[in-house]
Amino acid sequence: MKTYSNFHKNIYMFCGRLRMALAALLCLLAFSQARAWGETTSYVLDAPAEKYWGTVNNSGTYAFSGPAKTLTFQAQRTTIWGVSSNGNFYAQYSTDGGASWTDAMSIDLPNRSQWYDFTCEIPANANAVRFESRFGATGYKYVRNVRVSRGTTLSTTTQRLDFGTQDMGASKTLTATVSFNNTTYDQQITGTSTDPRFSVTPIGVGATGQTAVSITYRSDTPGNHTATVTLDMNGVSVDIPVSGTSLPLFHFAASAQKIYDHGTVSTQVEPMLRGEVSTTQMQTPATFTAVPHADATFQGWYSDPSHTQLLSADPAYTATLTNSQYGSTASLTLYAWFKKNQTLSWVEEGVNLNLIKGGSVSSAATASSGLAPEYASGNPAVLSVDGSGLVSALEDTGEPITITVSQPGNDEFNAATPLTRTFAIVVLSKEITLSGTDATVTIPDVVYDKVTLQRTLKAGFSTIALPFATTVADLVGPAYDASQDWVAQLSLVTYNARDGYSLYFRQVPDGRLEANQPYVLHLGAPVENPVLTDILVLAPKATERMVGDWKMVSNFSPALDMEGRYGVVNADGALKQGAAGSSLNALTAYLVGPSGGQARAHFMDEATGLRQPAWDTPLGRQRYNLMGQRVGRHSRGIVLQRGADGTLRKMVVR
């Protein structure tokens, strides 16, 4: 038995490893360049079998360009000097050209000199493969016949195909641009559609590239058609939305010896059939028949395009011509006249059919033909209707009145079936109650004999907004005192960093309140549920009065959320910002200003300038100029001094 010294063993192992390193280097140089598919279905990534030693990967990197699908190879391992080693053998792939690797499969490779076949899936975006052993250093590992098969992809840059409007019976072909990669070289792109009017012409393609696929729309029935076309290649598919519109055709044919061309009904009812018949060919009378259509009514056969010379109005759509009708002419032109049907529909279905005197509502209709509808009232003196369909109640007789809408048609369209609506003329009770907890006025723009404002107007300051015009004197009644009972509007806003915002409210002359406007109200004594007579009540409308960064808004919503908004909260006219959960009744007003700032109110009249400032908390003895601005204690001139009891007095500081 031959033995080896340690020296010989070391020399032997060194030479073996040198051979492996040289082989790995050659392999790395051979396969480091990325391969392109070309017109092939797989890459052959190595030539001879590779033999390497140890746990490091000496097989090099097999680079290629995607899309990939399957990695196949053969591998074996052998033992040196009868020493076994354990562990797995790994196939790996990379999607970044070899910068990082992912295991594709783990193999418990038997320890014997025999080739084994292996197959594993790799992702379409893979662009390199390699092999790695993770078992002992003894023994050789071999890899050969490394291949990567091509993956199948199909995509399109065509987002949608619109075939437009076609005559019924015509066809139109458009193309969609698709890109593809095949697992086999010679494949077809085929297609199906959810609507048989759209069809796909199959096309053969190679391994990779871009092509145009033809899609045809054939209009066989009138109307708008939409569908989804699905293109398929080797098990992968892509969808393309398609659409097209088909115009109706009316076809005619002669039953004589000669068959004539089909014609088309146009919107102007132009000649639709031109048939020439020689008098020498007429052995018997010739009968012409028009083909019926569901959306039109046959009027008759005519010998002139203006359809004044009727030849036949036979309901069987036929016209029989004798030799005498031809006379001496060599040919004759016939005209079949059809009228299209039309329908009427209401623009709004759920209109209010209860009207009061002076009230109106739109009861417009449209015709499918596009022609203008015509309106009529059963009693124009009580209920009128204009050409736009606006219905107005002229009297409150309480009787129901019917309006009718029709469309008589023209040379192209038949008359439409009329539509009717019956309106009830409501007689009002002339009285209304407006409440701060339910301020909805359902019948606006009505003069009421009696209006009750269900609200206690408190003494001192509060806010008010009403859907009708009135005066403070009318609200208060006989106890009205002009010095105590008045309204004011936001007039001026100033700001300084120390005191924040000052809001100035100026009295309204004559104490007049306009409809839907926001005001601050001041009363000397409370007023319970004031009643007014002969009042025009309007639709409540939130109205803003803007001054600088602040605005005062009228409120007609019960339980308005006041979080972040300002309101007058006590008889002194203090401004408070609403906290979470606070609310405000209707028929009132509120203020909105910059967030985070403190604000105080000042009320002015023409005589004294500043009447009274109000703020969130007492500020002690403060001084203001005649514009309501706070001044220092050493300011000279005429100033307003607030006393400990809250009253204001003018004084001169020298």
Side-chain angles (χ1 to χ4, degrees):
M1 179 176 177
K2 187 175 182 180
T3 60
Y4 293 88
S5 66
N6 289 336
F7 174 79
H8 289 93
K9 289 181 180 179
N10 290 337
I11 292 296
Y12 182 84
M13 292 176 63
F14 172 79
C15 292
R17 291 179 178 176
L18 181 60
R19 287 195 302 271
M20 288 194 309
L22 291 174
L25 178 61
L26 292 174
C27 181
L28 181 63
L29 292 174
F31 298 106
S32 60
Q33 297 298 317
R35 296 150 172 80
W37 290 111
E39 297 296 334
T40 62
T41 61
S42 66
Y43 293 137
V44 179
L45 298 181
D46 67 341
E50 292 192 51
K51 172 183 175 182
Y52 55 97
W53 172 277
T55 59
V56 295
N57 175 19
N58 295 317
S59 67
T61 299
Y62 302 97
F64 56 91
S65 61
K69 179 176 178 59
T70 306
L71 168 66
T72 60
F73 61 94
Q74 292 179 309
Q76 69 165 295
R77 59 181 288 204
T78 61
T79 300
I80 296 179
W81 305 311
V83 179
S84 298
S85 59
N86 298 320
N88 287 346
F89 185 75
Y90 289 81
Q92 299 178 309
Y93 68 87
S94 175
T95 60
D96 52 14
S100 59
W101 296 92
T102 302
D103 293 340
M105 68 181 299
S106 172
I107 310 160
D108 188 6
L109 194 62
N111 188 16
R112 61 175 67 102
S113 298
Q114 179 179 337
W115 290 101
Y116 293 88
D117 297 318
F118 297 98
T119 302
C120 63
E121 297 290 324
I122 58 176
N125 62 341
N127 50 35
V129 296
R130 75 175 188 181
F131 303 92
E132 179 179 308
S133 60
R134 299 178 188 172
F135 41 80
T138 58
Y140 293 108
K141 297 85 179 174
Y142 298 87
V143 176
R144 71 181 183 186
N145 293 335
V146 179
R147 292 175 179 270
V148 173
S149 67
R150 182 196 303 271
T152 299
T153 62
L154 186 65
S155 62
T156 177
T157 57
T158 302
Q159 301 299 315
R160 183 181 185 87
L161 289 179
D162 185 0
F163 291 81
T165 301
Q166 306 297 320
D167 287 338
M168 193 173 67
S171 63
K172 183 177 182 179
T173 300
L174 299 176
T175 58
T177 302
V178 296
S179 300
F180 59 89
N181 285 281
N182 271 324
T183 55
T184 54
Y185 173 71
D186 188 13
Q187 288 287 312
Q188 270 197 334
I189 297 178
T190 59
T192 58
S193 173
T194 56
D195 186 331
R197 298 177 184 86
F198 301 89
S199 59
V200 178
T201 302
I203 183 172
V205 294
T208 185
Q210 190 178 82
T211 189
V213 177
S214 297
I215 301 175
T216 301
Y217 169 57
R218 180 173 181 81
S219 54
D220 56 2
T221 55
N224 299 320
H225 305 126
T226 59
T228 299
V229 169
T230 301
L231 302 180
D232 182 89
M233 183 197 72
N234 201 24
V236 296
S237 61
V238 64
D239 291 337
I240 301 175
V242 293
S243 60
T245 300
S246 175
L247 292 177
L249 290 181
F250 298 88
H251 299 288
F252 312 94
S255 61
Q257 296 178 0
K258 185 175 182 181
I259 304 299
Y260 301 98
D261 294 336
H262 291 168
T264 303
V265 171
S266 72
T267 57
Q268 300 300 319
V269 195
E270 294 294 330
M272 292 166 287
L273 174 66
R274 291 181 179 273
E276 295 183 359
V277 180
S278 171
T279 56
T280 59
Q281 295 176 321
M282 293 293 295
Q283 303 301 320
T284 58
T287 300
F288 297 83
T289 302
V291 178
H293 195 278
D295 295 327
T297 305
F298 180 64
Q299 305 296 307
W301 285 96
Y302 292 80
S303 60
D304 65 314
S306 60
H307 42 78
T308 59
Q309 301 176 30
L310 178 67
L311 296 176
S312 172
D314 190 330
Y317 305 94
T318 60
T320 301
L321 305 182
T322 64
N323 289 341
S324 62
Q325 290 175 296
Y326 283 96
S328 61
T329 60
S331 63
L332 182 66
T333 300
L334 303 181
Y335 302 92
W337 181 24
F338 278 78
K339 275 191 176 184
K340 301 175 186 176
N341 299 327
Q342 62 169 325
T343 58
L344 290 168
S345 60
W346 298 113
V347 174
E348 295 183 24
E349 291 293 340
V351 302
N352 185 8
L353 298 179
N354 297 316
L355 290 180
I356 63 170
K357 181 180 178 180
S360 60
V361 67
S362 175
S363 186
T366 59
S368 60
S369 62
L371 300 176
E374 298 179 1
Y375 303 89
S377 169
N379 189 342
V382 175
L383 187 72
S384 68
V385 57
D386 64 13
S388 68
L390 182 67
V391 179
S392 301
L394 306 180
E395 298 293 339
D396 52 1
T397 61
E399 62 177 307
I401 308 295
T402 298
I403 68 162
T404 302
V405 57
S406 60
Q407 213 311 304
N410 57 12
D411 280 356
E412 184 181 356
F413 289 95
N414 290 308
T417 301
L419 300 177
T420 61
R421 268 178 176 165
T422 300
F423 291 84
I425 308 302
V426 180
V427 178
L428 290 179
S429 65
K430 303 301 183 184
E431 293 185 6
I432 190 172
T433 297
L434 302 179
S435 170
T437 57
D438 183 13
T440 302
V441 179
T442 58
I443 306 177
D445 305 336
V446 175
V447 176
Y448 289 91
D449 297 327
K450 177 182 177 182
V451 176
T452 301
L453 185 61
Q454 193 173 43
R455 176 184 171 189
T456 298
L457 303 175
K458 63 185 179 181
F461 291 95
S462 61
T463 63
I464 192 168
L466 301 173
F468 54 84
T470 186
T471 64
V472 178
D474 288 339
L475 285 174
V476 175
Y480 171 70
D481 180 354
S483 65
Q484 294 293 319
D485 306 325
W486 45 271
V487 292
Q489 283 186 307
L490 182 62
S491 178
L492 176 69
V493 177
T494 63
Y495 175 80
N496 62 64
R498 182 177 60 180
D499 298 329
Y501 292 91
S502 289
L503 279 62
Y504 298 90
F505 295 81
R506 186 177 299 278
Q507 285 190 31
V508 177
D510 303 325
R512 181 163 184 81
L513 291 85
E514 299 297 333
N516 292 325
Q517 293 293 325
Y519 296 94
V520 171
L521 175 67
H522 184 276
L523 297 178
V527 176
E528 294 282 347
N529 302 329
V531 175
L532 302 105
T533 58
D534 196 22
I535 295 295
L536 173 63
V537 179
L538 306 178
K541 179 181 179 182
T543 305
E544 298 178 356
R545 181 174 178 84
M546 194 82 181
V547 178
D549 294 333
W550 287 76
K551 64 182 177 181
M552 192 173 185
V553 187
S554 55
N555 169 47
F556 297 100
S557 299
L560 175 76
D561 183 4
M562 280 295 288
E563 182 175 358
R565 296 172 170 141
Y566 289 85
V568 175
V569 297
N570 57 37
D572 292 332
L575 293 182
K576 287 283 189 178
Q577 192 173 30
S582 60
S583 63
L584 183 69
N585 284 345
L587 306 175
T588 55
Y590 61 89
L591 289 144
V592 180
S595 61
Q598 61 177 342
R600 63 194 63 186
H602 309 272
F603 299 92
M604 299 175 290
D605 59 24
E606 297 299 332
T608 62
L610 182 68
R611 175 180 292 245
Q612 177 177 342
W615 40 77
D616 291 349
T617 56
L619 297 178
R621 299 170 64 87
Q622 304 291 348
R623 290 181 178 178
Y624 303 87
N625 62 23
L626 293 182
M627 289 302 296
Q629 297 167 316
R630 184 175 173 181
V631 297
R633 300 193 61 79
H634 302 291
S635 178
R636 299 182 181 278
I638 300 176
V639 297
L640 296 170
Q641 174 72 52
R642 183 169 189 248
D645 59 356
T647 60
L648 291 173
R649 298 179 179 85
K650 287 184 180 179
M651 59 185 298
V652 178
V653 180
R654 300 183 183 279

